[in-house]
Every structure is written in C-alpha cells, then in structure tokens.
Amino acid sequence: MTNSLEAPVPDPTPDPVLDAGTYTSIREPRSARRLPLGDGMWHQISPAYVRVQLISNGLFLLVVVAAMLAVALVWQQWWAWIPGGTVSLLIVWTMAITPRQARSIGYQLREDDLVFRRGILWQRTVAVPYGRMQLVDITHGPLDRGFGIAQLKLVTAAASTGVVIPGLAQQAADKLRDTLIDVAETRRTGL
C-alpha cells in the first residue's frame, strides 16, 4: 500500500499523438547552475517550428537589407549601413541559435499542473495549475498551417503564468487542448 503523500510516478511511455514527429530529447544548458528538468516525461515541439522561424526571420532579413540598400544607395544616406548592418547581424545570430533554442522547449503534464520550460541562456520554467487555467487557445498563421504546426496558449488570472507552447503538431495541439480542458474542469479551485 502506498502513502497518499507520495508523489505519483509519471508515466514514462511516450504519447503517440503528443510525441509524433517531435525532437527526441530536450536540450539542457551545460552549466551546473541550470534549472533542473526534474522527473517525468517531457514532450517537445516539432522540428517544423525551426523551419517556420528560419523562413520568417529570413523574410524579415530581406526586408531590412532591401531598406538599408534603398536608403544607402538610392538616397545616398551612408549612415544607414550602421543600423541596417547591426539589425542584419542580430537577425543572422537569431537564425543561427534557433535550432538550439527549439530543442530546449518542452512541457510536462503532471498530476496537478503543466510545467513549461524553455531557454538555454535565459531559462524559464513555469508551472500552471490545471485548476487555474481560464483559457486554452490554439493559433496558427499561414506558415504554421503550411507546415502543420500550431501554438497553444494557456491563460490564467495571473499574467506572469501565461504560457505559449509554440511548434506543436496540429493533432498534438488539439489533443493537448482537449486534455487540459477536461482536467481543468475537474480541478477548478478557488474560483
């Protein structure tokens, strides 16, 4: 017989819908001072998220370079090279680290809450109690739809605990939304 104060043992088996076509292991920072992942099954996002981010950032880079060239060459405003070059370098840097950042994004469904984790350099871990969820929203733009991904947004009364899980496969987003709504209805507390 188990003690009722013991933490439940998480199910270590992958979910066929939530884990279909996702990264297989969550990336952690190498520092000894990192936020620990903890026990349990971590679900990750689709690699298609990286492709969507690279395309979006690439298009933005083209707009910045075109604007920089137009101002510098057409209107002969040579100062445009400085801000245009700086913004271009930042966009290229963002594109270079996007795959590593995407592998650090994960979520865990625990008995009483959903834990969301992201970040390598700036790490964020948020636990959202099921009973405090007020809204579960799925959104996807044109590129997201083209690659079959969506983002799921959890809204609570406290703005700081709102979570957006990007890059979920469409079926995973639908299943996760339905699961969270079902569990939240049974766990409503303090409302």
Side-chain angles (χ1 to χ4, degrees), residues 23-30 34-37 42-47 49-50 97-108 115-126 164-166:
Y23 290 111
T24 56
S25 65
I26 193 164
R27 175 76 77 142
E28 281 191 274
R30 292 182 214 128
R34 69 183 181 268
L35 293 173
L37 282 178
W42 283 90
H43 305 282
Q44 289 195 268
I45 63 172
S46 171
Y49 172 74
V50 173
I97 64 172
T98 295
R100 184 173 169 94
Q101 285 179 330
R103 292 187 55 110
S104 73
I105 299 172
Y107 63 95
Q108 185 180 42
V115 178
F116 174 72
R117 181 193 185 285
R118 78 177 307 148
I120 296 292
L121 194 55
W122 285 273
Q123 301 168 42
R124 180 178 187 214
T125 303
V126 178
V164 176
I165 305 173

Side-chain angles (χ1 to χ4, degrees), residues 2 4 29 57 63 74 88-89 94 128 154 158 172 179 188-189:
T2 62
S4 63
N57 287 330
V63 169
V74 175
S88 296
L89 285 175
T94 300
V128 181
L154 306 171
T179 300
R188 292 275 185 227
T189 58

